Amino acid sequence: KLEQEPSELEQALKNIKAGLDAGSLQHILDPRALDREAVTTNVKQQVERLARDKRIMGKVRRRELLVVGGFYEISSGIVDFFHEITSTNSLPSPGVQGCYNPDAAK
């Protein structure tokens, strides 16, 4: 199935798939919950990858950059933020839970 996609997209999807724990995902039966878990797992892995970059972490420690994962729910417009890297730790926090509702900000 992935081989039918353009080569750049195919490689990106294969990299994401390689980082997922299929064993833990197979127990999720609801398709929306499965998609959300796969996306948040990928976001956490990308934040952790950024935390291993010395240049990025230098900027975080100097408070020039904030790295935090996010999940945008397109149907509601709500963004959940999680897995923040702060200047006092080198790995992401277990979770900074929050949401942004664009309608409430008006």
Side-chain angles (χ1 to χ4, degrees):
K1 216 173 176 183
L2 292 179
E3 291 76 20
Q4 297 171 350
E5 303 296 338
S7 61
E8 295 84 2
L9 178 59
E10 175 189 357
Q11 189 57 48
L13 292 172
K14 284 181 177 180
N15 289 339
I16 291 170
K17 187 175 179 182
L20 297 176
D21 179 4
S24 67
L25 294 176
Q26 72 182 7
H27 300 293
I28 302 173
L29 303 178
D30 179 64
R32 288 188 65 181
L34 179 62
D35 288 347
R36 181 178 177 87
E37 185 62 27
V39 169
T40 57
T41 298
N42 180 54
V43 169
K44 288 176 184 177
Q45 289 177 345
Q46 297 307 316
V47 170
E48 290 169 4
R49 184 179 61 80
L50 292 170
R52 291 190 293 269
D53 185 299
K54 292 179 183 182
R55 292 176 299 165
I56 289 176
M57 288 309 297
K59 290 183 179 290
V60 169
R61 286 188 186 93
R62 290 188 303 274
R63 298 179 186 255
E64 297 173 359
L65 179 69
L66 174 67
V67 178
V68 61
F71 178 89
Y72 175 66
E73 179 59 55
I74 196 165
S75 63
S76 67
I78 293 175
V79 179
D80 290 325
F81 296 100
F82 55 95
H83 227 52
E84 177 182 1
I85 299 174
T86 66
S87 61
T88 58
N89 65 10
S90 59
L91 292 177
S93 67
V96 176
Q97 301 301 320
C99 63
Y100 172 70
N101 183 341
D103 294 329
K106 291 181 181 177

